[in-house]
Amino acid sequence: MNRFADVILPLPLYRYFTYRIPDEMQGRLRQGHRVVVSFGRSKFYTAIVVALHDMEPQGYEVKEIATLLDDEPIVLRTQLNFWQWIAEYYLCSVGDVYKAALPSGLKLESETSLTINNDYEEDVDNRLTEREAVLLQTLAGQGRLTVQELEKATGLRNTLPVLRRLVEREAVFVTERMRVNYKPKTEVCVRLTFEQGNHEALRAAFDLVGRAKQQEVLLLSFLDLSHFMQKGCYVEVSRSELLARADVSPAVLAGLVNKGVMETYKREVSRFVPLVHRSVELPRLSDEQSRALGEIYGSLGDKSVSLLHGVTSSGKTEIYIHIINNILQQGRQVLYLVPEIALTTQLTERLQRVFGDKLLIYHSRFSDNERVEIWYKMLRSREPRVVLGVRSSVFLPFHDMGFVIVDEEHEPSYKQYDPAPRYHARSAAIVLAGMYGAKVLLGSATPSIESYYNALTGKYGLVELLVRYSNNPLPDVRTIDMREQRRRRQVKGNFSQALIDAMQGALKREEQIILFQNRRGFAPMVECRECAWIPKCTQCDVSLTYHKRDNRLVCHYCGYSCEIPHVCPACLQATIEVRGFGTERIEEDVEEMFPDVKMARMDLDTTRSRNAYQEIIDDFASGKSKILVGTQMVTKGLDFDRVSVVGILSADTMLSFPDFRAYERAFQMMSQVAGRSGRGKSRGEVLLQTSQPELPIIGQVIAHDYIGMYQEQILQRQQFGYPPFTRLVYIYLKHRDEAVLDTLSQQYATLLRKVFGERVLGPDNPPVARIQSLYIRKIMLKVEIAASMSQVKDLLRKIYENSLADSRFKQLVLYYDVDPM
Ligand code: ADP
Ligand code: ZN
Ligand code: ZN
């Protein structure tokens, strides 16, 4: 008999916890079930069962599982193995992985905040229990409460199971900071209690309304909205729409319902875009594409991963579509990873046309309820599906993953920086695919140095597709030497005369323009002309960015903002100046130079709302806007055929970044943005402004010489012992007191050196050495590729535990970043 269960708690704890299985759960409890357990001082959590056994733990009193939440497991065995792998490899706890993997709606805990759904109507066939009703009423008066607060207010205990039912019925929402434009799954609608065309009943209804003026308004509004008087044109009317039109309170509607004139009912609405018709015809591949597809299948015969190096606009997507179709026909599932939501808008439509409702989309901007819905869809059916998703979709419950595509595999956004698990979705997906026996295709026009190295050394297959689909030539890249331009006084604001001329030409020919600047905001810095004072964030060690729109200085790390000082606080003169340039400043320059041309800006600031991307992209696609200014968001995936000029405003800012990947990243961004040009009929033109045109990397961008860039960079990596020749682990240490931190991090590095010797570098100040009042130091560990990560993990844990003998180390916040980007 199994009397005990090991569970994962959603906490950063490095082990499983054991609970006693109560008699009534005997035989019912299974791996992957959710249970509610108490932990610490009377806090309740939703935990996941990983194992059942009969070994009584020693040394502490074993508590009982409070409640079993599921009939069916909610996490599959492969997923639990996958979580375990992530925790091992990325040096974090399985609890951290669990927290990242499950949508918050599925892992309620004492700290979860809840709000009531004001549109919720009790279901007559499924009445609320007393406990449910009490919780709902309490929540209704309060706006937002945590589970703990709710329990305090109601005096009820162990409410998680009850709340779970309320969340699943959508009577209650789990609130998240990022939720935007949430759309409920059902909508309350209103109808009359009689049929269209029943004039007698209608007259009777007006009699019943009598002199109740507001009820009359409501009835008339209904007749209008529903087209009730026009036979055959009836339209369903939602309650909120009706109340808004009539401008009356819900009590008025309740009055008419009581009189038996109207009734309400629920209508299912889909949260997801309505599906377009499915065409069974797949796009016909060109000869080059067919060859590439054949080679991909060939290379995946004996290898599990293949790299498709296909230049921009070579038609990689169409190749993916053929592969997906093939896997779906085998009855298996596909994971199609993309780095960001920006890519998916155009792609989604393309995939929907071919795959219809077999396509599921998993955005980063989905609300929690939408995530829960997709989770259940995957969990409850083994149907062949293709999931198009961002990084976190590697956590979805696939039953039978047959293939993984990682598009734009070089993108750094596949790496999660914060919080733990700091995983790389590409590496994680490769491991996950291995667990299912699935093959992986990585695709990029500018592969990461690591992947290309793996391909050249035979670990991955390599397939090259070096011509564009239309056989269009790659765009013509020209450098503009900004030093020379300045000497000749041919620079206006941030624009060289050459770029202005090219833009004018494009506009005259009715073509479009993309301008790329890798910084957002108006100008990156404000500075004192006299004493070089720079305003810094009070919490973080970074200079503030000037945002022209609200005339404020903003910290891009913590969001702190303040007014721009009129007088320099250091030298007390009125010599504060705005220096450098960001996207907002570029936008303003363009407006000044081309006042009649409609333009749009795309960066983090303009795309906060859910539909903003779509609108910007639609306007540009339809030709409504002619110039698109943006950060690296515009470098990715966009496919517009009327873009003939791309301007790269400053290559210098990208090249001066203090990181061993700076040149690789700069090459990737510049080549990708260049690739947005000339995708239609005419050859594209790219103008690259730089003060260092003599740098080899500039020559490589001009020549579209990926291999040249690779060869130069790989030599450097080898010489200095960077990936792919070593594996990096950053060890971050944080503390409030900088002096204490300096001492402790020196000592910690010494402890590490005793075990790892020369492999330890630092401590150093990272580029941002203070965030939100915590000072940060970084120690770098370079381990051999062949070294076992679980051994490294054990050693690191021992060092940490030994350090705690000195109690000062207990105040340190310490965490790891494996394979940092
Ligand atoms: P990539 O992803 O390699 O940059 P895309 O897949 O976006 O390239 O293809 C570039 C353009 O060529 C798109 O407009 C696409 O519709 C078109 N295209 C590519 N392959 C085909 C094909 N086999 N049939 C028709 N159009 C194609
Ligand atoms: Zn800050
Ligand atoms: Zn000054």
Side-chain angles (χ1 to χ4, degrees):
M1 196 164 87
N2 292 321
R3 287 177 300 149
F4 301 98
D6 290 345
V7 306
I8 306 174
L9 286 161
L11 297 169
L13 303 166
Y14 281 82
R15 38 172 291 215
Y16 297 140
F17 282 78
T18 307
Y19 287 81
R20 191 182 299 282
I21 305 173
D23 290 343
E24 76 271 15
M25 281 177 217
Q26 273 301 338
R28 284 202 292 144
L29 198 65
R30 280 157 60 196
Q31 186 190 48
H33 266 147
R34 284 176 306 166
V35 291
V36 176
V37 295
S38 79
F39 184 81
R41 243 179 263 137
S42 76
K43 280 198 178 158
F44 285 92
Y45 294 94
T46 306
I48 305 284
V49 176
V50 273
L52 307 175
H53 59 82
D54 204 30
M55 285 180 300
E56 177 143 21
Q58 303 300 318
Y60 62 93
E61 203 206 326
V62 186
K63 293 188 202 164
E64 246 185 19
I65 293 174
T67 318
L68 168 60
L69 290 179
D70 301 307
D71 297 329
E72 294 295 319
I74 192 144
V75 182
L76 306 172
R77 179 185 302 270
T78 316
Q79 290 179 280
L80 290 173
N81 294 339
F82 181 56
W83 293 6
Q84 188 65 51
W85 177 82
I86 291 199
E88 280 289 325
Y89 185 83
Y90 291 103
L91 306 179
C92 64
S93 76
V94 198
D96 285 330
V97 186
Y98 162 34
K99 275 168 61 167
L102 237 60
S104 10
L106 295 178
K107 49 169 199 264
L108 293 175
E109 58 186 52
S110 301
E111 286 91 351
T112 309
S113 296
L114 301 168
T115 49
I116 192 162
N117 175 3
N118 286 317
D119 268 337
Y120 176 72
E121 284 222 336
E122 194 176 341
D123 195 341
V124 229
D125 305 321
N126 198 355
R127 290 249 172 232
L128 294 175
T129 64
E130 200 182 318
R131 274 163 77 87
E132 287 173 341
V134 170
L135 289 170
L136 262 194
Q137 274 160 17
T138 311
L139 205 52
Q142 298 287 340
R144 172 207 280 233
L145 287 181
T146 66
V147 173
Q148 215 166 11
E149 289 163 345
L150 195 57
E151 291 187 348
K152 216 165 152 199
T154 54
L156 296 174
R157 299 219 344 120
N158 190 10
T159 56
L160 294 185
V162 188
L163 288 170
R164 187 210 60 161
R165 283 196 301 274
L166 288 175
V167 168
E168 273 170 18
R169 285 183 186 186
E170 301 196 344
V172 162
F173 294 138
V174 171
T175 53
E176 288 168 291
R177 264 180 307 154
M178 286 283 292
R179 225 188 50 227
V180 266
N181 295 345
Y182 174 74
K183 218 161 125 205
K185 199 163 97 182
T186 56
E187 191 173 50
V188 180
C189 287
V190 177
R191 63 186 167 216
L192 294 174
T193 48
F194 47 87
E195 300 284 303
Q196 244 184 324
N198 186 342
H199 297 294
E200 240 157 86
L202 187 59
R203 218 170 299 128
F206 273 103
D207 288 343
L208 279 170
V209 166
R211 284 190 226 198
K213 196 71 205 154
Q214 289 195 317
Q215 289 187 359
E216 188 184 325
V217 172
L218 191 74
L219 185 53
L220 288 170
S221 305
F222 176 83
L223 296 179
D224 184 24
L225 284 172
S226 65
H227 301 285
F228 194 80
M229 307 310 284
Q230 291 146 264
K231 250 201 126 74
C233 303
Y234 186 78
V235 184
E236 283 185 293
V237 178
S238 79
R239 180 174 64 172
S240 50
E241 187 187 5
L242 177 61
L243 292 178
R245 167 68 71 96
D247 196 17
V248 299
S249 76
V252 179
L253 176 59
L256 279 176
V257 172
N258 278 337
K259 285 182 180 170
V261 174
M262 283 182 170
E263 59 192 16
T264 60
Y265 63 101
K266 268 193 221 166
R267 182 174 66 141
E268 286 269 335
V269 287
S270 174
R271 294 195 180 105
F272 303 105
V273 201
L275 294 171
V276 188
H277 291 294
R278 237 186 113 185
S279 78
V280 208
E281 284 281 299
L282 287 189
R284 270 184 64 92
L285 295 184
S286 68
D287 290 349
E288 270 296 288
Q289 285 171 322
S290 305
R291 174 195 55 82
L293 181 61
E295 285 182 29
I296 291 168
Y297 285 138
S299 70
L300 288 175
D302 60 337
K303 302 205 158 90
S304 9
V305 182
S306 194
L307 172 66
L308 171 60
H309 174 213
V311 296
T312 53
S313 202
S314 56
K316 294 186 286 297
T317 320
E318 308 299 337
I319 294 177
Y320 302 154
I321 289 177
H322 277 257
I323 295 174
I324 296 167
N325 189 57
N326 183 352
I327 303 292
L328 294 179
Q329 278 178 353
Q330 296 170 27
R332 304 188 74 187
Q333 300 173 323
V334 181
L335 171 61
Y336 185 162
L337 283 173
V338 287
E340 264 182 43
I341 188 172
L343 280 171
T344 62
T345 41
Q346 277 185 316
L347 188 60
T348 313
E349 288 166 21
R350 223 148 124 195
L351 293 179
Q352 233 154 21
R353 249 175 277 135
V354 186
F355 299 114
D357 56 7
K358 287 207 168 61
L359 175 70
L360 284 186
I361 299 157
Y362 202 64
H363 278 176
S364 47
R365 294 184 179 213
F366 272 177
S367 74
D368 198 64
N369 291 68
E370 288 166 312
R371 284 165 195 267
V372 172
E373 195 173 328
I374 291 186
W375 188 280
Y376 276 128
K377 252 194 196 150
M378 294 295 292
L379 187 72
R380 288 177 182 157
S381 119
R382 304 179 150 267
E383 270 173 62
R385 287 189 188 286
V386 46
V387 175
L388 176 71
V390 293
R391 184 173 73 211
S392 54
S393 45
V394 294
F395 292 116
L396 285 170
F398 286 86
H399 281 281
D400 185 16
M401 184 183 275
F403 205 91
V404 178
I405 294 162
V406 185
D407 194 19
E408 310 291 350
E409 65 85 31
H410 63 278
E411 272 294 326
S413 52
Y414 278 127
K415 179 79 202 278
Q416 170 146 325
Y417 291 86
D418 221 19
R422 297 179 173 80
Y423 66 104
H424 196 298
R426 179 187 64 218
S427 316
I430 290 173
V431 171
L432 183 66
M435 294 179 172
Y436 287 99
K439 302 285 182 177
V440 181
L441 179 64
L442 311 177
S444 175
T446 51
S448 63
I449 299 284
E450 284 92 336
S451 294
Y452 204 71
Y453 175 79
N454 283 334
L456 288 186
T457 52
K459 190 172 168 198
Y460 299 168
L462 177 62
V463 178
E464 313 246 19
L465 184 57
L466 301 177
V467 292
R468 289 184 146 185
Y469 168 71
S470 49
N471 279 319
N472 269 3
L474 284 164
D476 181 19
V477 184
R478 265 203 292 153
T479 33
I480 312 292
D481 183 344
M482 292 303 275
R483 282 170 314 194
E484 189 194 301
Q485 292 270 313
R486 274 197 200 96
R487 227 174 305 135
R488 295 208 212 142
R489 309 203 167 278
Q490 295 206 321
V491 179
K492 260 193 218 147
N494 297 297
F495 289 76
S496 61
Q497 192 55 48
L499 180 53
I500 298 172
D501 292 345
M503 289 172 70
Q504 261 156 356
L507 291 170
K508 216 172 272 157
R509 296 189 302 270
E510 302 266 298
E511 292 163 352
Q512 291 173 304
I513 299 158
I514 290 179
L515 299 175
F516 166 58
Q517 170 55 21
N518 197 32
R519 299 194 91 141
R520 61 195 233 254
F522 181 76
M525 287 210 306
V526 165
E527 191 185 44
C528 171
R529 195 167 63 219
E530 285 302 315
C531 75
W533 174 84
I534 289 170
K536 291 209 160 178
C537 175
T538 54
Q539 323 266 334
C540 313
D541 185 26
V542 286
S543 41
L544 297 171
T545 300
Y546 177 49
H547 282 236
K548 175 118 197 296
R549 190 146 300 169
D550 1 280
N551 195 29
R552 286 182 82 79
L553 297 167
V554 178
C555 171
H556 281 183
Y557 282 84
C558 75
Y560 165 84
S561 83
C562 65
E563 269 176 31
I564 181 164
H566 299 295
V567 174
C568 168
C571 70
L572 305 178
Q573 303 187 64
T575 40
I576 299 288
E577 248 180 22
V578 174
R579 199 167 61 80
F581 57 105
T583 41
E584 206 177 333
R585 172 63 184 274
I586 302 296
E587 183 183 29
E588 196 176 275
D589 286 352
V590 172
E591 268 164 8
E592 217 164 86
M593 288 187 289
F594 303 98
D596 307 322
V597 180
K598 184 156 162 43
M599 65 172 305
R601 174 160 66 97
M602 185 151 93
D603 56 30
L604 257 184
D605 295 315
T606 60
T607 53
R608 289 199 195 282
S609 78
R610 185 159 165 167
N611 297 323
Y613 262 118
Q614 192 62 56
E615 276 164 28
I616 294 171
I617 289 171
D618 286 349
D619 279 0
F620 198 64
S622 68
K624 216 167 163 193
S625 55
K626 302 278 183 238
I627 305 177
L628 182 65
V629 178
T631 54
Q632 31 96 19
M633 280 184 195
V634 300
T635 65
K636 297 174 201 163
L638 302 177
D639 184 19
F640 303 114
D641 55 12
R642 267 178 295 181
V643 176
S644 66
V645 169
V646 163
I648 297 169
L649 283 143
S650 164
D652 307 332
T653 48
M654 287 179 270
L655 295 171
S656 61
F657 204 72
D659 185 276
F660 70 92
R661 286 199 179 86
Y663 277 38
E664 178 191 351
R665 283 292 297 139
F667 180 87
Q668 287 163 343
M669 285 194 279
M670 290 193 268
S671 313
Q672 294 281 350
V673 74
R676 303 308 119 206
S677 153
R679 294 172 79 95
K681 282 177 221 83
S682 51
R683 176 148 197 206
E685 189 182 8
V686 180
L687 289 94
L688 193 169
Q689 302 191 148
T690 174
S691 304
Q692 304 153 274
E694 65 283 353
L695 287 178
I697 184 94
I698 300 292
Q700 288 151 5
V701 174
I702 296 176
H704 306 284
D705 183 12
Y706 173 81
I707 311 276
M709 186 280 296
Y710 170 81
Q711 281 166 344
E712 194 184 331
Q713 293 303 310
I714 200 81
L715 275 180
Q716 303 240 331
R717 302 280 182 95
Q718 188 159 28
Q719 198 175 344
F720 297 106
Y722 279 113
F725 299 98
T726 56
R727 175 170 286 135
L728 294 185
V729 178
Y730 289 169
I731 300 162
Y732 286 99
L733 306 159
K734 291 190 183 179
H735 198 282
R736 280 190 183 277
D737 186 323
E738 189 163 25
V740 175
L741 180 63
D742 272 328
T743 320
L744 292 184
S745 46
Q746 288 292 352
Q747 289 182 10
Y748 208 83
T750 311
L751 293 177
L752 287 163
R753 281 200 179 89
K754 278 195 193 135
V755 177
F756 292 103
E758 303 262 280
R759 300 178 185 86
V760 180
L761 298 148
D764 277 326
N765 291 14
V768 178
R770 183 161 69 118
I771 294 179
Q772 297 192 334
S773 310
L774 283 178
Y775 290 88
I776 310 168
R777 294 294 177 269
K778 183 181 88 186
I779 299 174
M780 197 197 298
L781 182 62
K782 283 183 180 174
V783 283
E784 292 83 342
I785 286 295
S788 131
M789 276 309 277
S790 69
Q791 223 165 31
V792 171
K793 182 178 184 168
D794 289 343
L795 290 172
L796 286 171
R797 188 180 306 150
K798 273 202 199 104
I799 295 168
Y800 179 68
E801 281 165 8
N802 291 342
S803 81
L804 295 180
D806 181 343
S807 65
R808 290 173 310 160
F809 281 103
K810 287 185 186 148
Q811 303 160 13
L812 270 185
V813 178
L814 185 145
Y815 62 86
Y816 306 98
D817 188 359
V818 179
D819 298 342
M821 290 294 284

